[in-house]
């Protein structure tokens, strides 16, 4: 079932349309005041990581939604886009494996987005 948060669902749709891999959504609202959701996605190359970032920014900008912060774009190993209640983490596979955000935030509630993503 999709998230109750429309922004989460929209970001997941955008990432899936650009072939983002291993999309995970973590509800961290009960664990931190930093944000409500983390979205994690993997790109196959630094070029794809940047393309995923660019596409999310472009599509959300059309709706008047702009990130409050953006980190890591130049190196494209791990790009972070912050949208207040949602923080998007776009990784290269080796970087995602190394930092293992899924494991660090293992107490977070996983949001099932399988009805949004294509297989």
């Amino acid at each position: 079932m999709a998230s109750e948060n429309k922004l989460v669902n929209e970001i997941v749709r955008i990432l899936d349309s650009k072939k983002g891999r291993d999309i995970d959504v973590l509800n961290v609202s009960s664990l931190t005041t930093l944000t409500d959701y983390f979205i994690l996605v993997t790109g196959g190359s630094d070029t794809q990581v940047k393309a995923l970032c660019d596409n999310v920014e472009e599509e959300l900008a059309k709706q008047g939604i702009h990130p409050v912060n953006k980190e890591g774009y130049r190196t494209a190993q791990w790009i972070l886009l912050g949208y207040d209640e949602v923080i998007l983490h776009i990784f290269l596979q080796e970087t995602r494996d190394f930092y293992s955000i899924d494991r660090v935030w293992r107490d977070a509630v996983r949001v099932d987005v399988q009805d949004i993503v294509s297989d």
Side-chain angles (χ1 to χ4, degrees):
M1 177 195 256
S3 171
E4 294 175 3
N5 185 296
K6 291 179 183 179
L7 181 58
V8 168
N9 296 338
E10 183 63 19
I11 292 171
V12 169
R13 277 188 208 95
I14 295 166
L15 294 170
D16 185 57
S17 74
K18 289 298 179 185
K19 308 296 184 209
R21 298 188 324 234
D22 302 323
I23 300 170
D24 288 317
V25 177
L26 306 176
N27 182 331
V28 296
S29 61
S30 65
L31 303 173
T32 183
T33 57
L34 182 64
T35 191
D36 292 334
Y37 295 92
F38 284 161
I39 300 175
L40 312 172
V41 64
T42 303
S45 66
D46 58 347
T47 302
Q48 187 187 19
V49 168
K50 285 183 175 182
L52 289 166
C53 176
D54 292 343
N55 199 252
V56 168
E57 280 191 285
E58 290 169 13
E59 292 300 314
L60 293 181
K62 292 176 186 176
Q63 301 172 42
I65 302 168
H66 303 279
V68 293
N69 64 332
K70 178 178 174 179
E71 309 267 340
Y73 188 84
R74 190 169 43 89
T75 60
Q77 303 291 306
W78 175 2
I79 298 176
L80 182 140
L81 285 176
Y83 288 97
D84 289 329
E85 75 269 15
V86 178
I87 295 178
L88 171 60
H89 302 265
I90 309 169
F91 295 99
L92 278 177
Q93 185 66 57
E94 61 205 32
T95 307
R96 184 171 180 171
D97 292 343
F98 180 80
Y99 287 101
S100 192
I101 299 295
D102 312 68
R103 185 177 46 78
V104 172
W105 291 91
R106 69 178 167 265
D107 293 336
V109 175
R110 290 192 176 271
V111 177
D112 183 4
V113 292
Q114 290 308 308
D115 56 336
I116 299 174
V117 298
S118 57
D119 290 328

